[in-house]
Amino acid sequence: DIQMTQSPSTLSASVGDRVAITCRASQSIGSWVAWYQQKPGKAPKLLIYMASSLEDGIPSRFSGSGSGTEFTLTISSLQPDDFATYHCQQWHSWTFGQGTKVEIK
Amino acid sequence: QITLKESGPTLVKPTQTLTLTCTFSGFSLSATGVGVGWIRQPPGKALEWLALIFWDDDKRYSPSLKNRLTITKDTSENQVVLTMTNLDPVDTATYYCAHRPSISASGKAGFDYWGQGTLVTVSS
């Protein structure tokens, strides 16, 4: 079973900051990673698929990178609407990371 | 427009069996490559993938829960049903169903549409 280790668990940042969240897979999974944003009481929203492809309608300040075992979600300039929890998911056997809460500093 | 909605009991007693239904519209589960998955999230905790059923009736389960889960589909009714046996309070969670597009058709490996979720509490 492939494990996804996500870090950090919490990230404190200010509007305008560049932030990065990392997921590490327990074995190589190519580019089979998706990233989601989730707000309290809501279902997750797909942001990135295949490690770096931006889902339709998602702002270009979100980007994804990586392959193999190391993956990163970057928000280039944090906006007020971006304070949320972010999840990675690997698409070999569909397990999720533990989530990263991005909170206001 | 694709929509999904989960339905089922909100309160289940320990040791009982949970049956959840995902009713969807805007896509066909007989279309090549399409799937529907179930994911849950205990209060304040991480997402956990549970099961996935594909257009060709291929089924995949979380290894840690495989012995307790059954996923089925009714293509004519546009429904997917998840059954979980021997419920325990640790199974208290919001349960989501989600659409898995055809990767070959869309290039998209991700759950792109989700239901609103349904909170299931396991308690005596």
Side-chain angles (χ1 to χ4, degrees):
Chain A
D1 198 20
I2 300 172
Q3 307 301 318
M4 295 294 279
T5 303
Q6 189 172 342
S7 61
S9 55
T10 306
L11 190 160
S12 297
S14 302
V15 172
D17 284 354
R18 181 182 182 90
V19 301
I21 299 166
T22 297
C23 265
R24 180 175 289 113
S26 57
Q27 64 188 72
S28 181
I29 53 172
S31 296
W32 295 92
V33 165
W35 290 92
Y36 302 86
Q37 177 193 67
Q38 186 181 27
K39 295 184 178 179
K42 300 294 187 182
K45 178 197 296 186
L46 180 64
L47 300 175
I48 301 283
Y49 58 92
M50 294 305 291
S52 61
S53 295
L54 196 65
E55 172 66 335
D56 295 340
I58 301 302
S60 59
R61 63 179 180 273
F62 292 92
S63 64
S65 63
S67 66
T69 61
E70 198 89 10
F71 302 88
T72 301
L73 173 71
T74 301
I75 309 172
S76 60
S77 177
L78 201 63
Q79 298 301 300
D81 191 49
D82 301 339
F83 291 98
T85 298
Y86 295 84
H87 307 271
C88 63
Q89 182 191 23
Q90 57 85 7
W91 269 72
H92 270 233
S93 54
W94 303 286
T95 53
F96 288 89
Q98 294 304 108
T100 295
K101 183 178 181 180
V102 177
E103 60 181 25
I104 300 173
K105 191 173 183 178
Chain B
Q1 180 185 356
I2 290 176
T3 65
L4 304 98
K5 187 172 185 179
E6 307 86 353
S7 59
T10 57
L11 181 64
V12 181
K13 288 181 169 36
T15 75
Q16 287 187 337
T17 294
L18 171 67
T19 299
L20 293 172
T21 300
C22 176
T23 303
F24 58 86
S25 64
F27 69 95
S28 172
L29 197 40
S30 60
T32 301
V34 174
V36 171
W38 283 94
I39 303 98
R40 71 178 179 180
Q41 186 173 38
K45 296 190 177 181
L47 297 169
E48 180 181 18
W49 171 74
L50 300 177
L52 185 52
I53 190 165
F54 295 91
W55 82 103
D56 59 358
D57 211 36
D58 187 16
K59 301 165 187 177
R60 303 298 170 95
Y61 296 101
S62 166
S64 62
L65 292 167
K66 182 175 184 176
N67 292 338
R68 299 173 54 206
L69 295 175
T70 303
I71 190 170
T72 60
K73 64 182 176 70
D74 185 333
T75 304
S76 63
E77 293 291 325
N78 284 350
Q79 291 183 330
V80 170
V81 175
L82 181 74
T83 302
M84 179 182 292
T85 60
N86 194 24
L87 271 281
D88 182 272
V90 300
D91 296 312
T92 294
T94 296
Y95 287 75
Y96 297 99
C97 61
H99 172 259
R100 183 262 201 196
S102 165
I103 295 176
S104 59
S106 68
K108 210 183 288 188
F111 290 121
D112 58 353
Y113 291 91
W114 294 62
Q116 63 190 25
T118 185
L119 176 61
V120 177
T121 301
V122 183
S123 174
S124 54

